[in-house]
């Protein structure tokens, strides 16, 4: 039985996010977002780089979409920039912003590609951060309004909606570890952000159902279901604590299970839940998006503030220093299927940062990325045969782009971008996808 053998209706896609690829930071009526501000903080982003130009997809989308079509991708996951659509966070809608995404969707459709839109991928308008951002409850109403505008203005051309990308990163990297915008290090604010992100998601889904639109709507998580470093009971408990704090606090409320007892009881942490919130969060969703890259073992650590820490891995690592652990993806999908009762899943991101170079012939021989992708795709094929309800896979990323605090130093694309000229060079991994999608992945 060939390993890379997928059902005919399996969705093959590739993904990006607005701040990472669009550029045109000061065009089309776009206002500043928290990453514009954060990248000006000395030392926050490598080399003080920002998304002002990125890979300039705002002007190169036609060429990018033509290449996606040539490679055989059937769905493009992009994100809508809130500061482009409602520059003042709430209130007046910017027609130029809407027009850009409408044209993008039309171009996708002309090329036989479905439009999968993420409503929020981290570019909060700065004006809303000035009011407290995700730590302040007012963001929920603002997000619901913004999502409502997206549904009303783009509902006829978006084929799949993702409310929010990676709530973990928004709440913890942004408000606890302080390595992402807005760069806050405060557990109380982080827990408030957790709850408001969950509530914003539920509130947007509730609003969506009232529109009568039929495209599926879901959320994308980057779950962490780490293995314990040893068989000691303390390490096993540590792994469960990590899963509860990093993953269950997002997944459980959406699935109607409330906040996990390990977090609210054992760790004694609390969320600003008001009456009716949990019902709003628990709106039925049509699918679950899973972003997976790596996994590290977790052990009990009495000195760590949250009682656990990650331990070194032995596996090969990418340029991010992330170990390649395909089995971690299996752990996640099996666990999610179990807790969700089989809601369809899509891998909405999976990919590898490599040390890519363009050779004299204009080729990029990214063998390590292909090795990584092949291992994960083989596992996906096996899992589907074992009954895991996995419906699609989006490669992260279509093109090299702004990798947040790492600036442009990390290349995740299956297409190389020469940032000086904006010339695109499909890497060997792009042709690997072309073959896998065409059903020739074994060749
Ligand atoms: O680039 C990011 C993306 O924005 C969210 N998921 C992880 C990717 C790689 O770090």
């Amino acid at each position: 039985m060939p390993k890379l053998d997928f059902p005919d209706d399996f969705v093959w896609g590739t993904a990006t996010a607005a701040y990472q690829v669009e550029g045109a930071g000061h065009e089309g009526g776009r206002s500043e977002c928290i990453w514009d501000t954060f990248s000006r903080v000395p030392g926050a982003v490598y080399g003080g780089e920002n998304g002002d130009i990125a890979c300039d997809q705002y002007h190169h989308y036609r060429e990018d979409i033509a290449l996606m079509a040539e490679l055989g991708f059937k769905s493009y996951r992009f994100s809508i920039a809130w500061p482009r659509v409602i520059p003042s966070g709430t209130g007046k809608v910017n027609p130029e912003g809407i027009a850009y995404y409408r044209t993008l969707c039309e171009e996708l459709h002309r090329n036989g590609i479905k439009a999968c839109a993420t409503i929020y991928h981290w570019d909060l308008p700065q004006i809303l951060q000035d009011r407290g951002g995700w730590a302040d409850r007012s963001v929920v109403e603002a997000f619901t309004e913004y999502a409502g505008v997206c549904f009303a203005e783009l509902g006829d051309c978006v084929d799949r909606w993702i409310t929010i990308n990676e709530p973990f990163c928004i709440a913890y990297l942004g408000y606890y570890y302080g390595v992402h915008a807005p760069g806050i290090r405060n557990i109380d604010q982080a827990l408030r952000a957790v709850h408001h992100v969950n509530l914003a998601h539920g509130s947007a889904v509730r609003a969506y159902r009232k529109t009568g639109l039929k495209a599926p709507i879901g959320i994308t998580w980057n779950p962490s279901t780490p293995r314990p470093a040893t068989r000691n009971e303390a390490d096993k408990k540590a792994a469960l604590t990590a899963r509860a704090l990093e993953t269950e606090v997002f997944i459980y409320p959406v699935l109607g299970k409330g906040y996990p007892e390990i977090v609210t009881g054992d760790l004694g942490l609390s969320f600003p839940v008001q009456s009716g919130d949990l019902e709003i969060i628990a709106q039925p969703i049509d699918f679950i998006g899973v972003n997976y890259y790596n996994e590290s073992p977790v052990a009990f650590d009495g000195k760590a503030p949250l009682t656990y820490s990650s331990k070194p891995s032995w596996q090969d690592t990418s340029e991010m220093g992330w170990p390649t652990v395909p089995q971690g993806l299996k752990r996640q999908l099996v666990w999610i299927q179990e807790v969700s009762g089989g809601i369809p899943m899509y891998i909405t991101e999976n990919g590898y940062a490599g040390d890519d170079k363009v050779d004299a012939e204009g080729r990029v021989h990214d063998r390590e990325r292909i090795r990584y992708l092949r291992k994960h795709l083989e596992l996906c094929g096996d899992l589907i045969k074992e009954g895991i309800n996995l419906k699609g896979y989006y490669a992260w990323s279509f093109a090299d782009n702004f990798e947040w605090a790492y600036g442009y130093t990390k290349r995740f694309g299956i297409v190389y971008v020469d940032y000086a000229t904006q010339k695109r060079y499909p890497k060997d991994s792009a042709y690997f996808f072309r073959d896998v999608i065409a059903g020739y992945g074994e060749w």
Side-chain angles (χ1 to χ4, degrees):
M1 188 65 153
K3 280 272 194 191
L4 290 175
D5 179 29
F6 289 83
D8 287 345
D9 62 351
F10 193 74
V11 174
W12 289 105
T14 181
T16 63
Y19 193 76
Q20 294 180 272
V21 300
E22 266 179 18
H26 306 285
E27 276 178 64
R30 178 188 177 279
S31 68
E32 291 236 315
C33 79
I34 52 176
W35 275 91
D36 294 305
T37 313
F38 190 59
S39 54
R40 288 196 291 266
V41 174
V45 173
Y46 177 89
E49 291 171 337
N50 60 41
D52 274 2
I53 299 172
C55 29
D56 201 22
Q57 190 169 81
Y58 192 79
H59 298 111
H60 289 255
Y61 67 90
R62 282 207 173 82
E63 167 190 349
D64 286 349
I65 291 171
L67 183 51
M68 285 173 211
E70 198 182 312
L71 295 170
F73 286 105
K74 301 289 182 290
S75 180
Y76 177 41
R77 175 179 176 231
F78 59 93
S79 80
I80 300 173
W82 189 342
R84 221 179 255 301
V85 168
I86 310 184
S88 44
T90 59
K92 201 167 168 323
V93 175
N94 172 26
E96 257 188 283
I98 297 294
Y100 172 68
Y101 295 108
R102 174 163 289 283
T103 314
L104 184 80
C105 292
E106 286 167 0
E107 188 66 14
L108 285 168
H109 290 159
R110 244 196 306 280
N111 282 272
I113 299 173
K114 301 263 192 220
C116 170
T118 304
I119 300 171
Y120 183 74
H121 196 129
W122 309 353
D123 42 4
L124 189 75
Q126 179 59 39
I127 194 165
L128 296 182
Q129 189 60 48
D130 299 341
R131 296 174 202 157
W134 288 101
D136 191 88
R137 197 175 165 96
S138 63
V139 75
V140 175
E141 204 181 315
F143 180 76
T144 311
E145 178 188 329
Y146 159 56
V149 168
C150 294
F151 301 147
E153 300 288 345
L154 301 167
D156 60 332
C157 60
V158 168
D159 303 289
R160 177 174 299 281
W161 294 97
I162 293 172
T163 53
I164 295 182
N165 180 72
E166 297 181 1
F168 167 88
C169 298
I170 298 167
Y172 290 122
L173 299 190
Y175 290 82
Y176 180 59
Y177 296 107
V179 294
H180 274 192
I184 292 167
R185 289 167 205 253
N186 178 305
I187 185 70
D188 185 52
Q189 288 205 45
L191 297 173
R192 294 178 65 75
V194 168
H195 184 61
H196 296 145
V197 170
N198 288 339
L199 193 56
H201 154 80
S203 171
V205 175
R206 186 172 65 169
Y208 181 72
R209 298 300 183 203
K210 290 185 190 144
T211 64
L213 291 167
K214 293 287 174 261
I217 187 163
I219 182 168
T220 280
W221 291 303
N222 55 328
S224 142
T225 54
R227 62 193 189 277
T230 73
R231 291 175 184 223
N232 291 342
E233 286 310 313
D235 290 346
K236 286 188 192 164
K237 176 82 196 306
L240 292 179
T241 306
R243 188 178 78 192
L245 196 63
E246 297 179 10
T247 302
E248 292 170 11
V249 296
F250 302 106
I251 295 189
Y252 276 15
V254 170
L255 297 176
K257 299 174 196 286
Y259 285 105
E261 173 63 25
I262 300 185
V263 174
T264 53
D266 300 9
L267 293 178
L269 301 174
S270 62
F271 301 92
V273 180
Q274 295 184 10
S275 156
D277 284 3
L278 292 178
E279 288 72 33
I280 296 173
I281 297 173
Q283 302 299 307
I285 48 175
D286 301 317
F287 66 92
I288 291 171
V290 173
N291 290 355
Y292 179 80
Y293 291 88
N294 67 322
E295 180 203 81
S296 295
V298 156
F300 174 74
D301 182 349
K303 290 196 217 91
L306 298 167
T307 71
Y308 66 87
S309 58
S310 291
K311 295 293 150 200
S313 302
W314 53 268
Q315 287 92 347
D316 290 343
T317 53
S318 68
E319 285 292 299
M320 295 294 282
W322 294 349
T324 297
V325 188
Q327 285 301 316
L329 175 59
K330 176 170 183 171
R331 257 186 286 285
Q332 280 190 10
L333 297 183
V334 168
W335 179 76
I336 295 172
Q337 172 133 322
E338 216 172 274
V339 296
S340 74
I343 296 177
M345 290 182 280
Y346 289 79
I347 293 175
T348 40
E349 288 181 24
N350 175 237
Y352 183 92
D355 180 21
D356 304 322
K357 304 269 182 296
V358 183
D359 74 8
E361 278 82 49
R363 298 291 303 269
V364 182
H365 301 299
D366 53 342
R367 312 315 298 171
E368 278 157 18
R369 178 173 293 104
I370 293 173
R371 246 193 305 281
Y372 175 97
L373 294 168
R374 180 178 279 282
K375 282 185 187 161
H376 287 78
L377 288 175
E378 284 181 357
L379 190 119
C380 291
D382 290 347
L383 287 172
I384 294 170
K385 288 178 199 113
E386 287 165 25
I388 293 294
N389 200 9
L390 179 65
K391 297 294 194 192
Y393 174 103
Y394 289 78
W396 184 271
S397 178
F398 170 68
D400 295 333
N401 59 52
F402 177 77
E403 179 51 28
W404 308 112
Y406 297 92
Y408 294 93
T409 57
K410 308 294 177 201
R411 292 182 178 270
F412 272 93
I414 56 170
V415 173
Y416 185 99
V417 176
D418 176 343
Y419 295 113
T421 60
Q422 290 298 345
K423 187 166 161 42
R424 274 69 164 145
Y425 299 86
K427 302 177 191 177
D428 286 353
S429 55
Y431 300 120
F432 166 72
F433 270 111
R434 182 196 58 195
D435 284 358
V436 172
I437 297 168
Y440 300 133
E442 302 307 318
W443 294 19

